Amino acid sequence: MLKAVPPSKAWLPAATVAGAFASMGLPLFLVAVLTVALAALGRFANVDTVTTLYLIPVLVGALRGGVFAAVTTALVGLAVAAFFFYPPLYDFRVHSPVQIVDLVLFIIVAVVTGQLAANVRRAKLREQGEALREALIGSVSHELRTPLSTILGSASVLAQSPQIARDERLGPLVQGLREEAERLDGHIQNLIDASRISSEGIEPRSEWVDPADVVNAAVDRKRALLADRRVGIVVPEDLPLLRVDAALVERALGHLVENAAKYSPPGSPIEIAAGQDGAMVTFAVRDEGSGFAAEERDRIWERFYRSPRHGDIAGSGLGLWIARSLVEACGGRVEAFSAGGGRGATLSLHLPIPPPNDGKPDIPHEQ
Amino acid sequence: MSSSRPVVLVIDDEAQIRRFLRAGFELEQMSVLEADNAADGIRTATLQPIDLMVVDLGLPDVDGAAIVERVRAWSTVPIIVLSVRASEQEKVRLLDLGADDYVVKPFGMAELLARSRAALRRQSRSADGDHLVQAGPLVVDLATRSVSVRGTKVQLSPKEYRLLQVLAQHAGNVVTHQHLLREVWGVTHVRDAHYLRIFIRKLRHKIEEEPTRPRILLTELGVGYRLAQGP
């Protein structure tokens, strides 16, 4: 089938053309059957007005192969009709204006039905693609995390053993194993998040959350990265509660913390602060790293954007984009500020404070 | 409850995971029984005295919730669930069905052991009538309903005490939002999560040194709260 496609027809993808040819078997067979039937019938009656019957194979072609198959079937059908049934017989030329109208009608029907059928097929494919992507995410998550669980778990059991814990060469190895496994787990989570974001598959599950809890959870998850840092945490006691998906905001803040730890000198301080700014609660992470230029302010949140100044630091360019996407999914936004190259950066998340009676009942009095 | 060595039943279909769990529990002087599917696991639990069950959520034969439900029909044995991070809702569902705690894969043995010990202690506390719960500098006397931090008595409102009491009864293990709301405010208030956040803040203000950096009353985001366990 593929050989039937001349290489010059590059404007149609080879697979599409091959598929169209493959799906034309049945319509062309129907054309042949119809022709024989009409020819047989033609011995007894005048059949040149029933050539619209050739629309049947055209419709079959449209359903099975789309526009290409439908138009081809229409042309073949009309050619056959012209040859066998339209006067002059056994000649492809046509004379009657009715037959010209037939020709135009056939082409229109072929194109329209072919396109409709193709649209339906594309929608179905997209649906299957989504389902496949979800299934892949699920299985990648499981297939990668199961061996990772064994590695991390086994390392932690080794760390339990007093001989290893006491040994100053082996102890740190086991610790390293554990930290790297946790880092790998973070990468897996990033891939899953990135994939979900790309397919708009993030569904926030909002609940009441204390901003302090979000800060503590994010700091706790990134504790390995912050081990050699002076970390300042500033959270006022009376911040309004938020109504967001806490897990998503925590991961977003975690990306900001990770970003700060990555692009500032080892040992330099990092400050993580929560606060109220009008109708928003903000989470800000400030570092004393190299900062960024004014024109990078928005670009740093873009997918795959990596500052040319950090070519020597490994990274995927996904972290801040994921942070932005997760926060936007929760109805918030992100901001970045730097006083300029070499003067540190402050990256922040801003989430709306829910209106006073947003599904929140009065607190019942104590007896 | 068996005598000296607690018996742990591990139900997980991954042989490698069962292997390190066995090593980890045995290093802590516990005995380990294994099952690689739910049916065998439940059978073992009915035939032998066990002190703790560790159940993987992703078993091939039966949904994790079904195991918890079936075991809870006839036993109060502590159950710890091993879950993957994607399944927050599933985790909460299992805890509300009667599982005692969970750890998220990948996890470290120390974390699982801490959860396991806490669950075992709760079981033995109810058996021995032990009424003192210690969480760092906090001591809750469940018999006299008195609460102290570093030896200083703390005044709590009845609702605040009730909240702390439920957490103390499960010290070291997570207690879901739903569970706390039901126990403290009653079944009609299980959706009023806002109360809970406010009361947790009040409670932290009274028992924590730094209420926004809690060391005693810990948060499990999206799941519930956990009182720290031990001195």
Side-chain angles (χ1 to χ4, degrees):
Chain A
M1 279 290 178
L2 269 168
K3 279 177 191 146
V5 186
S8 63
K9 288 202 172 181
W11 49 275
L12 274 177
T16 313
V17 174
F21 274 109
S23 57
M24 271 163 42
L26 182 63
L28 292 184
F29 176 71
L30 285 177
V31 168
V33 169
L34 203 56
T35 306
V36 171
L38 286 176
L41 202 63
R43 289 167 185 260
F44 313 104
N46 181 11
V47 292
D48 63 350
T49 54
V50 292
T51 48
T52 42
L53 282 176
Y54 282 101
L55 276 176
I56 294 170
V58 171
L59 290 176
V60 172
L63 288 177
R64 293 171 62 91
V67 175
F68 184 79
V71 171
T72 310
T73 310
L75 292 175
V76 171
L78 280 174
V80 169
F83 192 77
F84 288 106
F85 306 117
Y86 296 153
L89 291 185
Y90 313 117
D91 187 325
F92 285 112
R93 281 171 296 177
V94 290
H95 297 284
S96 154
V98 175
Q99 289 151 14
I100 307 291
V101 172
D102 272 1
L103 178 67
V104 173
L105 178 75
F106 267 52
I107 300 295
I108 290 173
V109 168
V111 169
V112 171
T113 54
Q115 232 150 29
L116 285 177
N119 283 349
V120 169
R121 217 181 1 256
R122 258 198 300 276
K124 205 160 143 195
L125 273 179
R126 199 163 35 232
E127 214 167 89
Q128 284 169 347
E130 282 298 305
L132 181 67
R133 188 202 293 264
E134 278 303 307
L136 266 178
I137 292 173
S139 89
V140 162
S141 173
H142 182 260
E143 297 303 323
L144 294 181
R145 278 190 168 140
T146 300
L148 202 55
S149 299
T150 303
I151 294 169
L152 188 67
S154 303
S156 67
V157 172
L158 289 176
Q160 256 177 282
S161 146
Q163 292 105 302
I164 290 178
R166 270 200 306 270
D167 192 310
E168 53 191 51
R169 276 172 309 171
L170 299 183
L173 284 188
V174 171
Q175 179 63 20
L177 251 180
R178 178 169 185 163
E179 278 168 17
E180 292 299 285
E182 276 174 355
R183 201 151 69 99
L184 196 51
D185 184 50
H187 290 321
I188 294 172
Q189 186 62 48
N190 286 355
L191 287 178
I192 294 171
D193 281 345
S195 175
R196 286 251 158 81
I197 291 164
S198 306
S199 64
E200 292 167 29
I202 300 184
E203 291 170 21
R205 290 189 303 113
S206 296
E207 51 165 357
W208 289 104
V209 189
D210 192 328
D213 289 340
V214 173
V215 172
N216 292 329
V219 170
D220 191 45
R221 196 188 297 283
K222 299 296 175 188
R223 66 194 176 282
L225 287 174
L226 300 172
D228 61 342
R229 303 286 187 147
R230 268 183 294 131
V231 181
I233 297 174
V234 183
V235 182
E237 257 187 64
D238 51 354
L239 277 182
L241 298 180
L242 290 171
R243 201 166 158 72
V244 291
D245 189 321
L248 299 187
V249 179
E250 183 251 308
R251 287 217 289 281
L253 184 58
H255 282 294
L256 266 51
V257 172
E258 185 169 341
N259 187 76
K262 219 159 152 181
Y263 298 113
S264 63
S268 65
I270 291 176
E271 187 185 278
I272 302 156
Q276 185 175 355
D277 178 13
M280 302 288 239
V281 165
T282 64
F283 299 92
V285 179
R286 196 166 56 82
D287 65 53
E288 296 186 0
S290 53
F292 52 82
E295 61 270 20
E296 288 180 285
R297 226 182 84 134
D298 293 324
R299 295 205 64 197
I300 60 171
W301 302 102
E302 285 171 14
R303 175 157 58 159
F304 300 136
Y305 178 75
R306 303 218 53 225
S307 172
R309 287 168 293 117
H310 298 312
D312 52 333
I313 301 175
S316 61
L318 285 176
L320 293 184
W321 169 71
I322 291 175
R324 190 192 82 194
S325 306
L326 296 182
V327 164
E328 286 176 355
C330 294
R333 60 184 168 77
V334 294
E335 260 177 32
F337 171 81
S338 174
R343 297 170 68 183
T346 302
L347 270 52
S348 53
L349 314 177
H350 304 253
L351 288 146
I353 297 167
N357 277 316
D358 184 12
K360 168 178 77 179
D362 293 333
I363 295 167
H365 292 294
E366 303 226 13
Q367 46 278 64
Chain B
M1 198 90 193
S2 58
S3 54
S4 53
R5 280 171 86 95
V7 179
V8 183
L9 171 60
V10 172
I11 310 178
D12 195 311
D13 57 320
E14 298 286 338
Q16 297 285 355
I17 289 188
R18 290 201 305 275
R19 186 185 304 180
F20 88 73
L21 290 178
R22 171 180 283 280
F25 280 120
E26 286 182 349
L27 273 173
E28 289 297 302
Q29 315 306 318
M30 299 186 199
S31 302
V32 176
L33 299 171
E34 291 179 27
D36 64 359
N37 64 72
D40 284 355
I42 290 175
R43 196 172 311 123
T44 306
T46 55
L47 294 177
Q48 311 208 28
I50 55 167
D51 301 303
L52 179 73
M53 280 176 86
V54 175
V55 181
D56 179 40
L57 256 189
L59 289 172
D61 55 343
V62 179
D63 170 38
I67 302 186
V68 174
E69 265 186 313
R70 279 171 67 180
V71 172
R72 276 292 167 265
W74 49 268
S75 169
T76 59
V77 63
I79 302 174
I80 312 260
V81 169
L82 308 179
S83 86
V84 290
R85 206 190 296 175
S87 54
E88 246 97 24
Q89 277 164 304
E90 179 73 356
K91 238 154 39 190
V92 172
R93 197 161 73 91
L94 285 186
L95 292 169
D96 283 332
L97 280 174
D100 291 78
D101 214 328
Y102 67 94
V103 288
V104 177
K105 287 179 173 180
F107 58 88
M109 197 65 207
E111 195 186 354
L112 177 59
L113 284 170
R115 307 274 185 276
S116 303
R117 280 194 216 101
L120 286 169
R121 206 163 304 159
R122 183 175 65 82
Q123 197 76 348
S124 66
R125 198 164 41 233
S126 61
D128 305 347
D130 185 5
H131 51 87
L132 280 183
V133 175
Q134 190 178 359
L138 174 87
V139 177
V140 181
D141 187 330
L142 296 170
T144 64
R145 302 169 71 91
S146 69
V147 178
S148 64
V149 176
R150 281 178 211 84
T152 311
K153 221 167 169 293
V154 179
Q155 286 300 329
L156 298 180
S157 75
K159 283 271 188 278
E160 287 165 359
Y161 177 75
R162 181 73 185 123
L163 188 55
L164 187 59
Q165 182 191 22
V166 178
L167 288 164
Q169 282 161 347
H170 298 85
N173 287 136
V174 71
V175 186
T176 63
H177 299 138
Q178 298 291 305
H179 185 151
L180 287 167
L181 284 162
R182 196 170 51 236
E183 292 290 320
V184 180
W185 284 277
V187 282
T188 53
H189 290 289
V190 289
R191 296 189 178 283
D192 302 339
H194 194 262
Y195 295 171
L196 187 57
R197 306 297 188 279
I198 300 285
F199 270 82
I200 290 285
R201 267 193 186 177
K202 289 185 180 176
L203 201 49
R204 278 179 176 159
H205 197 77
K206 292 184 178 179
I207 63 174
E208 296 279 357
E209 201 166 344
E210 222 184 320
T212 58
R213 296 282 296 155
R215 297 275 173 262
I216 302 169
L217 207 175
L218 310 171
T219 300
E220 296 283 330
L221 275 188
V223 179
Y225 295 96
R226 179 193 303 280
L227 202 67
Q229 157 94 27

